[in-house]
């Protein structure tokens, strides 16, 4: 700032002198080594959502065996997660959200955090990270969500964190046209390609 005004000349000079630096992306486990394979006790997270799973079964008319199968699959997966697994930081964040949001006196917050974990996060983590199923994919498709740009960048970073090593991440950020928030470019515009591949 110069006399309360922005110094455009200095900013322009700094921008011209700036050069991008190569980033040596490393897996989180290499940057922050975890020394333990201790179980995290995450199976207790099912206590927050088992009632909701049963309520959804009643609402949608699911057979009882389906609820039991889902509870067994989720419980076993969470029981086996150790601190050295790639999805552990994500699940610890979910644990914090459930422990603070589920007991909230605000019903909408409590319901939202439990539904998001049960219907979105947990099934995707089982698909992508559970050793029983992770051999079943080579690609992960990350489609845009009708949110702002950086929410979608975070979603992509989540996919990079939890996808198995060697899986290819495919990004589909082409507008479909009925978006309330993701309004970058005309219908069919490939925002990801425009920003990061050109």
């Amino acid at each position: 700032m110069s006399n309360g005004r922005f110094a455009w000349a200095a900013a322009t000079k700094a921008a011209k002198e700036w050069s991008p630096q190569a980033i040596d992306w490393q897996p989180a486990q290499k940057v922050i080594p975890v020394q333990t394979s201790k179980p995290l006790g995450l199976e207790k997270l099912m206590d927050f959502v088992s009632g909701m799973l049963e309520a959804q079964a009643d609402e949608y008319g699911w057979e009882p065996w389906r609820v039991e199968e889902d509870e067994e699959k989720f419980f076993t997966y969470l029981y086996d997660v150790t601190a050295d697994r790639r999805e552990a930081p994500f699940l610890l964040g979910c644990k914090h959200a459930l422990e603070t949001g589920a007991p909230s006196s605000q019903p909408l917050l409590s319901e939202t955090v439990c539904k998001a974990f049960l219907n979105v996060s947990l099934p995707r983590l089982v698909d992508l990270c559970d050793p029983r199923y992770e051999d079943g994919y080579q690609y992960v498709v990350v489609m845009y969500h009708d949110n702002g740009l950086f929410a979608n960048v975070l979603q992509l970073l989540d996919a990079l964190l939890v996808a198995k090593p060697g899986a290819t991440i495919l990004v589909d950020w082409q507008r479909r046209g009925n978006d309330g928030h993701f309004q970058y470019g005309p219908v069919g515009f490939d925002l990801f390609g425009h920003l990061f591949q050109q």
Side-chain angles (χ1 to χ4, degrees), residues 22-23 28 46 73 77 101 127 187 192:
I23 298 173
M46 288 303 294
K73 176 172 61 174
Y77 164 69
D127 288 344
V187 174
F192 187 82

Side-chain angles (χ1 to χ4, degrees), residues 1-186:
M1 293 279 224
S2 175
N3 296 330
R5 303 178 75 188
F6 189 76
W8 286 105
T12 302
K13 180 180 179 220
K16 287 179 180 175
E17 292 173 356
W18 179 83
S19 63
Q21 301 295 315
I23 298 173
D24 182 19
W25 291 102
Q26 299 281 331
Q29 290 84 350
K30 287 185 181 178
V31 179
I32 308 169
V34 177
Q35 301 297 325
T36 180
S37 60
K38 175 184 168 190
L40 296 174
L42 294 172
E43 68 278 2
K44 295 175 186 161
L45 298 182
M46 288 303 294
D47 294 342
F48 291 103
V49 296
S50 288
M52 182 168 282
L53 182 59
E54 292 167 10
Q56 287 179 348
D58 291 341
E59 181 180 346
Y60 299 115
W62 295 341
E63 296 292 330
W65 61 264
R66 180 175 172 185
V67 177
E68 292 171 14
E69 189 177 88
D70 283 351
E71 283 183 325
E72 159 69 24
K73 176 172 61 174
F74 295 153
F75 182 91
T76 302
Y77 164 69
L78 291 169
Y79 180 84
D80 290 337
V81 174
T82 56
D84 59 342
R85 296 260 297 262
R86 65 184 183 272
E87 72 271 28
F90 190 89
L91 279 166
L92 290 172
C94 291
K95 178 178 184 259
H96 176 74
L98 286 165
E99 289 175 345
T100 57
S104 171
S105 60
Q106 298 177 0
L108 182 60
L109 176 60
S110 175
E111 183 178 347
T112 300
V113 72
C114 289
K115 271 188 178 178
F117 181 68
L118 178 63
N119 297 331
V120 180
S121 300
L122 188 53
R124 299 310 170 272
L125 288 171
V126 168
D127 288 344
L128 296 173
C129 302
D130 191 323
R132 296 174 292 176
Y133 309 111
E134 71 178 2
D135 285 341
Y137 73 93
Q138 296 300 316
Y139 303 94
V140 176
V141 178
V142 179
M143 299 180 72
Y144 77 86
H145 189 269
D146 191 13
N147 273 329
L149 175 62
F150 287 101
N152 282 280
V153 169
L154 290 174
Q155 181 178 319
L156 175 57
L157 294 175
D158 287 344
L160 290 168
L161 172 69
V162 300
K164 71 179 181 180
T168 301
I169 308 294
L170 305 172
V171 182
D172 179 5
W173 284 4
Q174 293 187 20
R175 280 202 62 210
R176 292 173 219 359
N178 56 350
D179 313 300
H181 304 284
F182 195 84
Q183 298 186 2
Y184 306 102

